[in-house]
């Protein structure tokens, strides 16, 4: 898998950190709110303007000091901004880009935080045409099952990986500045092809979310489910934490990356059928060997960051 680190020259010393006049955050939820707080802490922008679908979200972001000013539309927020962050569910990225297109200056840098990348690249090209060269697709491997600006944290990206999947049309300087932006927020940047990104995250993020949802659904909906759930302990809590994640966001991810997720699901179903067959046949030694291999792989897995709880 080609996971590349940007050239060392792209890393910005503190004195050379990019400075923006106006940061526009479109979608002031967990990721967008955290980006705004982190940007403020890093003195990345002189002014932070926010827009979200619900006016109550903009009000909450203002009241919490996450943004300096609320906008009535995405176009109003993005007009005059030199840094625009799209932090909305992935299916909303294309439509939002269409809404802001006419207000974009030709030097503005556009970033997103979407969990899938091939669809976002396609949507950006469709929505922006030639202006797509200003849009650098990004996926921070940071977050949680909690949604909303009330859970935003200035430290969310610290020490976390952010995968950039540049478009062929992105000039190097836009990719460099995008890298510097994330590094200023404490993140570690890697570069990947969008297709490779989507294959990898189907395996280690999207399929686990699908399985967690299906598992909780199966347990909760059986006749004695509610009473069983009252007895559940730490194992259930750890295994199912991500099943509390936002349904709209995850519907979008499963839809956007359906081919890769379904391929991973096939492999999972084969493995599960193998485990089941050993149980049905009473092959407990073989079952133990399968479990042992899985346990070893889990123990060998070196968590890239201290708290890997993000999609
Ligand atoms: P979130 O907390 O639910 O925030 C999303 C925000 O976008 C909300 O404020 C929401 O609306 C707003 N929004 C939705 N549709 C919109 C539209 N059409 N126009 C304007 N605003 C709109 O979700 P999140 O966890 O921050 O996720 C945002 C993005 O980050 C998603 O693309 C997701 O794939 C990606 N991501 C998430 C995680 C994670 O752990 N959560 C990790 C990595 C990447 P309201 O104004 O109605 O509140």
């Amino acid at each position: 898998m080609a996971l590349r680190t940007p050239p060392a020259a792209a890393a910005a010393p503190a004195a050379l950190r990019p400075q923006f006049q106006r940061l526009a955050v479109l979608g002031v939820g967990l990721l967008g709110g955290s980006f705004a707080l982190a940007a403020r802490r890093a003195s990345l922008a002189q002014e932070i303007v926010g827009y979200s679908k619900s006016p109550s979200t903009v009000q909450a972001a203002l009241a919490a000091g996450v943004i300096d000013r609320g906008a009535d539309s995405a176009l109003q927020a993005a007009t005059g901004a030199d840094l625009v962050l799209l932090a909305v569910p992935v299916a909303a990225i294309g439509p939002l880009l269409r809404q802001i297109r006419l207000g974009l200056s030709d030097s503005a840098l556009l970033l997103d935080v979407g969990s899938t990348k091939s669809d976002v690249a396609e949507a950006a090209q469709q929505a922006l045409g030639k202006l797509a060269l200003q849009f650098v697709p990004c996926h921070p491997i940071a977050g949680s099952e909690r949604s909303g600006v009330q859970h935003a944290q200035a430290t969310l990206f610290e020490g976390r990986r952010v995968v950039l999947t540049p478009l062929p049309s992105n000039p190097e300087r836009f990719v460099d500045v995008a890298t510097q932006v994330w590094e200023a927020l404490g993140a570690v940047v890697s570069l990947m092809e969008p297709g490779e990104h989507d294959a990898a995250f189907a395996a280690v993020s999207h399929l686990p979310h699908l399985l967690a949802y299906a598992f909780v659904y199966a347990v909760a909906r059986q006749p004695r489910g509610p009473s069983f759930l009252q007895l559940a302990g730490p194992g259930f809590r750890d295994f199912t934490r991500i099943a509390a994640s936002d349904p709209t966001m995850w519907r979008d991810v499963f839809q956007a990356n359906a081919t890769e997720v379904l391929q991973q699901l096939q492999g999972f179903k084969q493995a599960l059928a193998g485990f089941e067959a050993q149980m049905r046949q009473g092959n407990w030694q073989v079952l133990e060997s399968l479990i042992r291999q899985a346990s070893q792989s889990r123990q060998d897995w070196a968590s890239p960051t201290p708290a890997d709880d993000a999609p």
Side-chain angles (χ1 to χ4, degrees):
M1 185 179 64
L3 192 66
R4 289 171 287 125
T5 308
L16 296 179
R17 272 181 194 163
Q19 294 284 320
F20 299 91
Q21 297 288 322
R22 185 186 301 166
L23 160 64
V25 177
L26 310 183
V28 195
L30 174 70
L31 273 281
S34 298
F35 189 96
L37 288 173
R40 186 186 299 288
R41 212 173 58 150
S43 305
L44 208 61
Q46 288 185 9
E47 184 190 28
I48 303 176
V49 182
Y51 167 73
S52 229
K53 197 175 50 172
S54 317
S56 58
T57 299
V58 177
Q59 286 308 320
L62 267 174
V66 172
I67 54 174
D68 299 316
R69 191 159 59 82
D72 294 332
S73 69
L75 177 62
Q76 191 187 78
T79 301
D82 43 1
L83 178 62
V84 180
L85 180 82
L86 291 100
V88 296
V90 287
I93 292 176
L96 264 189
L97 288 173
R98 275 182 212 284
Q99 290 170 35
I100 65 174
R101 189 192 151 123
L102 290 178
L104 290 176
S105 86
D106 57 9
S107 60
L109 172 65
L110 282 70
L111 308 174
D112 78 315
V113 293
S115 303
T116 54
K117 293 275 69 89
S118 300
D119 63 309
V120 167
E122 176 65 28
Q125 264 144 359
Q126 293 287 331
L128 295 175
K130 280 188 186 158
L131 295 185
L133 63 87
Q134 294 172 231
F135 177 80
V136 180
C138 308
H139 177 201
I141 315 305
S144 83
E145 74 281 11
R146 297 193 180 94
S147 300
V149 68
Q150 66 276 25
H151 298 294
Q153 295 169 36
T155 54
L156 191 75
F157 306 110
E158 265 179 22
R160 296 293 189 160
R161 187 190 302 283
V162 176
V163 179
L164 269 51
T165 61
L167 304 176
S169 61
N170 286 145
E172 211 174 305
R173 70 179 192 285
F174 278 98
V175 180
D176 286 350
V177 177
T179 300
Q180 290 166 7
V181 165
W182 287 111
E183 287 179 346
L185 308 190
V188 179
V189 171
S190 302
L191 303 177
M192 281 180 93
E193 298 297 323
E196 281 185 300
H197 167 282
D198 290 353
F201 285 92
V204 299
S205 171
H206 307 167
L207 180 66
H209 278 79
L210 190 72
L211 299 182
Y213 282 127
F215 173 73
V216 173
Y217 180 90
V219 172
R221 288 183 63 93
Q222 57 188 281
R224 289 180 293 166
S227 54
F228 289 170
L229 285 174
Q230 287 188 348
L231 299 169
F236 180 88
R237 185 196 59 211
D238 292 350
F239 186 68
T240 60
R241 177 182 62 78
I242 55 178
S245 302
D246 183 67
T248 308
M249 172 182 142
W250 280 97
R251 179 210 56 204
D252 278 9
V253 171
F254 298 142
Q255 182 176 354
N257 203 20
T259 305
E260 295 290 354
V261 177
L262 288 170
Q263 191 170 326
Q264 288 297 327
L265 185 59
Q266 276 309 108
F268 172 77
K269 281 159 71 177
Q270 277 172 15
L272 189 63
F275 279 56
E276 182 183 353
Q278 303 314 325
M279 288 191 73
R280 288 197 184 282
Q281 291 158 23
N283 293 333
W284 307 114
Q285 293 299 329
V286 182
L287 182 68
E288 181 184 333
S289 156
L290 294 175
I291 296 171
R292 205 171 278 288
Q293 290 173 54
S295 172
Q296 194 59 53
S297 297
R298 180 60 176 81
Q299 289 174 52
D300 291 346
W301 175 66
S303 162
T305 46
D308 279 286
D309 55 3

